[in-house]
């Protein structure tokens, strides 16, 4: 299964969102853990690929030396 989410950074928080789902965290590692926890609560088993596409309108100014597409991420979660 493949899911697509938007990745954003607002008020010193990383945010993953789509439709009615929103997960926030202080770091990308914490966000990954939050996504895994959320997926386990919805899908009991299986392998899920999560694509995070960065919201370029909210690109943090402190990362301006990087290209925004560097923050697009692909994660795979094995829920078995």
């Amino acid at each position: 299964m493949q899911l697509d989410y938007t990745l954003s950074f607002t008020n010193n928080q990383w945010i993953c969102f789509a439709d009615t789902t929103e997960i926030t965290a202080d770091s990308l590692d914490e966000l990954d853990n939050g996504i895994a926890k959320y997926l386990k609560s919805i899908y009991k088993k299986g392998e899920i690929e999560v694509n995070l596409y960065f919201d370029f309108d909210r690109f943090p100014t402190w990362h301006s030396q990087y290209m925004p597409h560097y923050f697009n991420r692909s994660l795979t979660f094995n829920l078995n």
Side-chain angles (χ1 to χ4, degrees), residues 17-59:
F17 63 91
D19 300 324
T20 60
T21 304
E22 182 174 295
I23 303 163
T24 62
D26 292 330
S27 71
L28 289 173
D29 286 336
E30 288 178 22
L31 188 66
D32 294 350
N33 291 334
I35 294 168
K37 184 177 177 180
Y38 169 75
L39 292 175
K40 286 177 184 177
S41 73
I42 302 297
Y43 308 100
K44 302 305 178 197
K45 41 175 30 181
E47 186 171 283
I48 301 174
E49 183 177 333
V50 175
N51 295 308
L52 300 167
Y53 299 103
F54 200 82
D55 176 3
F56 299 120
D57 293 333
R58 296 185 183 163
F59 192 68

